[in-house]
Amino acid sequence: MKASVFFGGGAFIALHAGYTKGPLASVSPDRVYGVSAGSLWATVLAFLGVDKGIEILGTLKQTSDVFAQKDVIADFGDTIGRRWASIPTGFGYGPLHSLLTKYITGKPTIPVTISAVSLENGRHVHFTAWPDGTFTQDDITLGTVSTLSDFLLMVLASCSTYPLVDAVLDSKNQGWIDGGFREGGPVEAALKDGATELHLCLTGNYSEDCGFSGNANDVFSGITRAMEIMANQNVITAVNAALEEPKAVTYVYAAKGQGSSQVFNQTDIQANILIGEKTVAVPGSTFLVLD
């Protein structure tokens, strides 16, 4: 079974579009997997295809088209009345939710698996949408996802970097956040499903230095830096799981993107699609496992 696994990376989702249009074009995966921005691309790919996905990326002119910074009134209301609100001056996920519900309809052409983390009990859950219109998950402790609307909420949650962005609330008012807090990419889920050929799509180099942003002079930079360190280690752990699996052949797609993972604009999006498109897959056998 061939599996494409898309890792997180915010605005560097455009690299995934480029990988898919370029080096992955001849792969024809049996299943796709994703976490964080990778969950969004995996879902778009499974339901809509690469060309439509690139078309949608072309509509994003600024970051507020994805995550909108909350004004004073929204901040005040969320602080006193909403579960798992973002930090003051944080972001809401309304624009991204609108995009998901506008474009993602019907059924996927191939199975797509994404992951999110519960703020209620810390559980890390993988959710799968199947071509027959059904949905499954590997943990039903907090209830089940049974509709496309439910599934899209989990995709949305996987893209929401709490506490900078509101946690996503499900139909039971339970909070869900980015699957990237637990894994860099759903490699182990793919292996458990029987993958024998893994195509790992990263949004940066396979390295302990991912070009950490921010500085030491404000709390927001500190929060961002801490999350980047955590995410970087999760990426390393996920890649290592693939490299150390003798029953699977691994290929790695890793490019350094232009711009910032936190800023959406067309200059960087189009540049990163081209960067991804020109990237050459590297056999996992040539990589050294990082500690």
Side-chain angles (χ1 to χ4, degrees), residues 72-110:
V72 173
I73 295 175
D75 256 338
F76 179 75
D78 284 352
T79 299
I80 64 173
R82 186 190 189 281
R83 299 192 76 229
W84 306 115
S86 67
I87 58 176
T89 73
F91 295 81
Y93 50 72
L96 181 55
H97 191 206
S98 295
L99 287 171
L100 280 169
T101 56
K102 175 182 178 180
Y103 289 108
I104 307 297
T105 60
K107 304 172 184 178
T109 57
I110 57 175

Side-chain angles (χ1 to χ4, degrees), residues 216-265:
N217 297 320
D218 67 88
V219 66
F220 296 107
S221 288
I223 291 172
T224 302
R225 177 69 64 90
M227 289 193 296
E228 287 177 340
I229 292 170
M230 174 206 64
N232 177 237
Q233 183 58 51
N234 286 347
V235 168
I236 291 172
T237 300
V239 174
N240 287 351
L243 300 182
E244 294 173 335
E245 176 50 63
K247 297 180 180 179
V249 176
T250 297
Y251 299 92
V252 180
Y253 305 75
K256 180 176 175 56
Q258 173 178 305
S260 167
S261 65
Q262 302 166 52
V263 178
F264 289 81
N265 64 68

